[in-house]
Amino acid sequence: MKRVFICSPFAGDIERNVEVAKKLCRMAMDQGYAPFAPHLLYPRFVDDHDPEERSTGISCGLAYMQTCSEVWAFTGNGISKGMQQELSHAREIGKTIVEIHEVE
């Protein structure tokens, strides 16, 4: 089963952004992929408002990205700073980036 890294905004309208990430994960599962959305996992035990903890959480997500076949980037609401880091890393390590502009 192919692994897909889900890249979408988290900060700002967190409730809406979490729903978008969940929908992206569901889309991936429905297509037979194993999704990973670090922003649905790490904020459960990392303080996203503490710059050092946020950086560590992002680094953990980037480490997992290494194992993924693709990166799905939701760009329908713009690209956040965290997404910029993830997309830059994806390009550096040669991952296929699939842009998604809207979710149902």
Side-chain angles (χ1 to χ4, degrees), residues 23-82:
K23 287 178 182 180
L24 290 166
C25 287
R26 186 65 211 202
M27 282 175 48
M29 284 181 61
D30 288 347
Q31 294 180 37
Y33 299 119
F36 178 68
H39 50 306
L40 293 183
L41 173 63
Y42 295 114
R44 294 185 179 276
F45 54 88
V46 170
D47 182 355
D48 198 54
H49 299 290
D50 178 314
E52 188 174 320
E53 287 196 24
R54 176 178 166 75
S55 178
T56 300
I58 289 173
S59 293
C60 288
L62 296 179
Y64 190 85
M65 183 188 287
Q66 305 275 356
T67 70
C68 294
S69 301
E70 297 177 347
V71 174
W72 287 12
F74 176 70
T75 58
N77 293 331
I79 298 175
S80 68
K81 287 185 180 185

